[in-house]
Amino acid sequence: MRDRLDFAERMGWVASSDEWLVLRELRNRMVHEYLLEPQAAVEALLAAHRFVPALIATANALIEEVSRRGWLPSHHPPI
């Protein structure tokens, strides 16, 4: 996983492989652990929300790359 994220970072598809590892860990905790305490659930959701800009930037970078390769119409709007 780390090698793929480092490659994606070098290609400019993700801003930070380290950030994506943190995001992946948060995602795994949220889906594989029961967040029985309401405060723990709120904290996890707030932490996840902080990654929204990174997710949007990554989606736009990937859309741009796919379009550059001719796999997507050039008029496809960014996210």
Side-chain angles (χ1 to χ4, degrees):
M1 174 59 72
R2 180 61 188 227
D3 291 342
R4 292 183 193 132
L5 287 171
D6 287 342
F7 178 76
E9 184 177 346
R10 285 192 304 276
M11 297 300 292
W13 301 335
V14 299
S16 166
S17 58
D18 291 333
E19 181 179 57
W20 272 85
L21 288 172
V22 171
L23 178 59
R24 183 173 184 259
E25 176 61 30
L26 176 61
R27 179 254 178 215
N28 286 344
R29 275 198 337 261
M30 289 177 72
V31 299
H32 295 298
E33 295 177 11
Y34 292 105
L35 299 175
L36 299 176
E37 296 295 324
Q39 187 60 34
V42 168
E43 289 171 8
L45 290 171
L46 289 173
H49 189 262
R50 288 191 289 272
F51 285 100
V52 169
L55 293 170
I56 291 172
T58 299
N60 284 330
L62 293 174
I63 288 169
E64 184 179 316
E65 178 66 18
V66 168
S67 181
R68 185 187 69 76
R69 292 179 185 214
W71 299 342
L72 187 72
S74 60
H75 64 276
H76 189 279
I79 293 177

